[in-house]
Amino acid sequence: MRPIEALLEIVRGEGVTRVFGNPGTTELPLIDALAEADDLEYVLGLQEGSVVAMADGYARATRRPAFVSLHVAAGVANGLIGMLNAMRSRTPLVIVAGQQDRRHLIQDPMLSGDLVGLAAAATKGAVEVQHARDLPIVLRRAFAAAVRPPAGPVLVSVPMDLLEERGQVIVPGRSPLAAPGPAAGGIAAAADLLAAAGRPVVIAGDGVGRAGAVGDLVAVAERLGAIVHHQPMNDGVDFPGGHPLHAGMLPPRNALIREILARYDAALIVGCHAFMPHHYTAGAAVPDGLPIVQLDEDPAEIGRNFAVRLGLTGDLGGTLRALAVRLNGRVPQARARTEAAAAEHGRERAAVEARARAAYDAVPLDPLAAAHAVAAGLPDGAVVVEEAITVGMRLRSVLRQDLPGSYVHTVGGGLGWGIGAAIGHRMGDPGRPVVAVLGDGCAMFGLQGLWSAARHQVPVAFVVMNNGEYRTLKDTLDEGGGPSAEHGRYVGLDLAPPELDWASAARLFGIGALRAGSAAELRDAVASVKDLEAPLLIEVPVGGHPSGRSSGRDAGP
């Protein structure tokens, strides 16, 4: 079997049906072979950032590693932002990057470079294959490594001449994926500590959603009557948003996290990569002396940034189920705690609803009202792919999604991810409507992804919140009280003028567009996405920073 044939046999055996890529000369052997592979669809992206983002969304929807093909050093460099997002969000990807012909690599030919060195910091592992006979083994290892906790992207650099060698290679059989590990030890001690607490709290990390253990965590929280917070900037639904015990997301600042956790006398932290603060504040995120039970699949997470009383490493679902059994009937006050939490959280949610509805008539739309209109219009079973910094934070306060997988975000921070991720997610789970909520600045980073949506007729609604500025940066400067806030002059933070014409941008890529000028129009437009048969861009003019320099269509000089 020739090397290129071995590559295709392996990806088929790993369950791959789509190849996400942008080709160049080093990928021609693969492109040529795919001409005879009717069972493998090539999903073309116009830039590698979009390619990797599509694969990221697809892998999350299918819960399998996605397969990516990138072109030489420049393609790897363009794709690094997507690899970084996948690395931080624990998305399994196998990325094959074409290297220049080995026969003249010593001459530093055009397009060549250190692909492994480029990718090393943004992947779980990176390797360049030097012998055709090693290619099948390296690929098998890459697929296994991509899903092994902590999951993430793995890059394999393949010189183009290697794929065209005439020698025979042997494809090793595929081993079954490793079964989930056993439940962690120490469950009895953890149950004792948590049951004895008067004010327990649970922190739901993104590992819970990835492990399919949301229901198991709910059982533990209900037996304790414990308040539950999502980790800062959570990437998914790790606890039902409408549950009476759910108190929302922890803010991404250590001082604020510490202030919240100081209310409790014990904490269970599950599947959470530290707390990943955004803005620096002095001190640790955890109050001194707080007894913590930390559970994770990855032993490196235990006690990573703070001391824990008990560290449990093992399968999240199995461990949580065993913990729930141990806690059953041991906390008689759990029901009263849950009822008190329901009343408190009900008041808080009602207050947010009232503020949002009070702003429904603002023109351009208030960010909270825009977020509320999106949440109110979502069809049953819809998936929200969110990359909207200002509106996105408001959206988190009004979303009440209970179904796992119905909210998708990346904690990686590499902008331009949202458009591609939404496309890939709908491809991977075509039965669920997908609404991508995008900031105008974020959308500009990944705009070329719209072409792929049009080419493959992927019915995603791209909701672009247009405030004509980087408002979150202005707000941050305001908090600091520096010259920008004092004088109302923000350098490099305005996108208007000139005004971005989103309808024209959609038409450029062959996508329909509409403009929602009110909260009611936005709610109705989002509700209609259940019937989409082609991609649609919905522009939403949103009020800007109080400086007045930018506010959607009303932006002035």
Side-chain angles (χ1 to χ4, degrees), residues 1 4-19 33-41 64 67 139-140 143 174:
M1 182 179 295
I4 185 61
E5 294 168 343
L7 184 152
L8 295 184
E9 180 170 324
I10 287 174
V11 299
R12 287 185 178 107
E14 296 289 347
V16 171
T17 58
R18 286 185 168 101
V19 177
L34 288 174
E36 297 180 325
D38 293 337
D39 57 329
L40 295 173
E41 179 186 4
R64 299 193 308 270
F67 186 71
L139 286 173
R140 287 285 191 219
F143 276 98
R174 181 179 183 273

Side-chain angles (χ1 to χ4, degrees), residues 9 53 86 98 249 287 360 373 375 409 490 493 526 550:
E9 180 170 324
M249 179 191 81
Y360 256 45
H409 176 71
Y490 302 87
L493 303 185
V526 170
S550 292

Side-chain angles (χ1 to χ4, degrees), residues 498-521:
E499 186 67 38
L500 297 174
D501 186 344
W502 287 98
S504 294
R507 284 194 297 271
L508 171 65
F509 295 108
I511 288 178
L514 60 86
R515 184 168 179 260
S518 70
E521 290 177 358

Side-chain angles (χ1 to χ4, degrees), residues 474-543:
K474 292 182 178 181
D475 290 344
T476 303
L477 284 173
D478 287 357
E479 291 179 16
S484 295
E486 181 180 351
H487 300 295
R489 181 172 182 267
Y490 302 87
V491 176
L493 303 185
D494 288 294
L495 303 181
E499 186 67 38
L500 297 174
D501 186 344
W502 287 98
S504 294
R507 284 194 297 271
L508 171 65
F509 295 108
I511 288 178
L514 60 86
R515 184 168 179 260
S518 70
E521 290 177 358
L522 176 57
R523 181 197 59 221
D524 293 345
V526 170
S528 71
V529 304
K530 64 181 184 299
D531 300 319
L532 279 183
E533 296 181 355
L536 173 69
L537 187 144
I538 304 170
E539 180 194 2
V540 186
V542 178

Side-chain angles (χ1 to χ4, degrees), residues 49-50 387 415-420 441-451:
S50 295
E387 191 184 26
L415 300 185
W417 164 91
I419 291 176
C442 297
M444 287 300 294
F445 275 78
L447 191 63
Q448 68 282 341
L450 294 177
W451 181 90

